[in-house]
Amino acid sequence: MTEELIIQIFNEVFYTAFLILLPILGVSLVISVLISIFQAATSIQEMTLTFVPKILVTAVTIILTLPWIIDKITELTIKLFTMFTTVVK
């Protein structure tokens, strides 16, 4: 295994992880900003108001994007296994 191959593998893994986490973190960020604006406008400083909606929306986002996430992880796994078979030969 050369250094270039190891760098390429890490690059693929980190890119796939970033791509998978982007929609989940994006939705969580939008919900956090909306809740913060609501709290600032109404002066309600309830702690459960920040955590419960974020957890629920994040869980729904994970459930809705789960087929896409599994597809991306499967593509990465197949790509890595084919890459390993070419290196071993």
Side-chain angles (χ1 to χ4, degrees):
M1 259 192 182
T2 63
E3 291 179 14
E4 292 84 18
L5 182 62
I6 294 171
I7 290 172
Q8 182 183 3
I9 289 170
F10 278 121
N11 190 16
E12 290 287 329
V13 169
F14 285 132
Y15 177 73
T16 303
F18 176 73
L19 197 63
I20 287 171
L21 291 174
L22 190 64
I24 299 167
L25 294 175
V27 169
S28 180
L29 176 71
V30 169
I31 292 299
S32 297
V33 169
L34 291 176
I35 290 171
S36 297
I37 291 171
F38 176 75
Q39 283 184 325
T42 60
S43 297
I44 298 174
Q45 297 302 323
E46 181 71 28
M47 290 302 292
T48 57
L49 185 64
T50 59
F51 291 117
V52 173
K54 280 196 289 188
I55 290 172
L56 291 176
V57 171
T58 303
V60 168
T61 304
I62 290 171
I63 290 169
L64 291 177
T65 59
L66 196 59
W68 177 76
I69 290 171
I70 292 172
D71 184 49
K72 288 295 177 187
I73 292 174
T74 305
E75 286 177 12
L76 177 67
T77 305
I78 291 170
K79 188 173 187 177
L80 289 177
F81 279 141
T82 57
M83 191 181 301
F84 291 149
T85 58
T86 59
V87 170
V88 171
K89 288 182 180 181

